[in-house]
């Protein structure tokens, strides 16, 4: 007599949380903040590759990232993201630029993203996003009320664009 033993099917992996990223709309004037990023944790090695993958391909290859040294978990000086090496620079936060991530693409531009603390509530994140992207304030950045939980899908690697020259992402 042959008996069959039921085999358990492997459980599918849990979906990854969406990247919470809002980029400022295209404008004629330079911006202080080019977007807002609300990571799910302060684990730079986990969060950074997901955010870089969600950036528009027009930003080109991001090869350098500067972060606030005190705000993020320990990380090496370089990490491999997609098919390229990204140099990580940790610097003290500037009083004029609290928690910010600076992205560099050689020959194409620099982009500054305001970082919303991972433990922020949705209401606090919405207020911080609106303040960072509000074009009506002098020296501020975007034009419409944000939806900080809007997911940015993976659009390839992080092209020819400079500060303030990209298309809206939300």
């Amino acid at each position: 007599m042959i008996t069959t033993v039921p085999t358990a099917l492997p459980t599918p992996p849990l979906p990854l949380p969406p990247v919470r990223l809002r980029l400022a709309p295209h404008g004629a004037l330079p911006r202080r903040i080019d977007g807002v990023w609300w990571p799910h944790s302060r684990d730079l090695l986990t969060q950074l590759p997901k955010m870089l993958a969600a950036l528009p391909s027009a930003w080109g290859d991001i090869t350098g990232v500067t972060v606030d040294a005190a705000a993020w978990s320990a990380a090496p000086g370089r990490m491999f993201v997609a098919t390229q090496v990204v140099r990580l620079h940790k610097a003290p936060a500037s009083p004029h630029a609290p928690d910010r991530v600076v992205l560099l693409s050689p020959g194409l531009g620099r982009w500054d993203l305001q970082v919303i603390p991972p433990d922020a509530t949705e209401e606090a994140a919405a207020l911080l996003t609106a303040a960072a992207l509000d074009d009506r304030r002098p020296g501020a950045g975007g034009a419409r009320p944000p939806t900080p939980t809007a997911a940015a899908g993976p659009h390839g690697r992080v092209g020819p664009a400079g500060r303030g020259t990209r298309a809206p992402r939300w």
Side-chain angles (χ1 to χ4, degrees):
M1 172 184 219
I2 299 176
T3 57
T4 58
V5 177
T7 57
L9 295 175
T11 57
L14 294 174
L16 295 173
V19 175
R20 299 179 293 193
L21 177 67
R22 288 280 308 266
L23 300 182
H26 173 67
L29 298 174
R31 306 179 71 83
R32 220 174 29 96
I33 294 291
D34 298 299
V36 176
W37 177 37
W38 186 17
H40 293 278
S41 75
R42 289 289 184 174
D43 180 358
L44 195 58
L45 293 175
T46 302
Q47 298 298 306
L48 186 63
K50 294 174 190 175
M51 186 268 287
L52 293 178
L55 293 174
S57 60
W59 285 23
D61 293 332
I62 300 297
T63 60
V65 176
T66 302
V67 298
D68 174 5
W72 294 93
S73 64
R78 296 179 215 181
M79 64 188 295
F80 198 64
V81 178
T83 59
Q84 69 186 54
V85 173
V86 176
R87 294 185 189 279
L88 298 176
H89 307 277
K90 288 193 162 192
S94 161
H96 304 293
D99 204 1
R100 206 174 272 188
V101 172
V102 177
L103 308 173
L104 300 173
S105 180
L108 296 176
R110 165 190 166 151
W111 295 274
D112 291 11
L113 299 178
Q114 179 73 39
V115 178
I116 296 186
D119 58 351
T121 64
E122 284 199 35
E123 295 80 20
L127 290 172
L128 291 168
T129 301
L133 300 179
D134 184 3
D135 269 341
R136 293 163 292 186
R137 294 184 312 116
R144 57 187 127 146
T147 308
T149 56
H155 296 288
R157 293 197 343 235
V158 246
R163 184 178 267 287
T165 61
R166 37 258 149 250
R169 292 271 300 135
W170 51 82

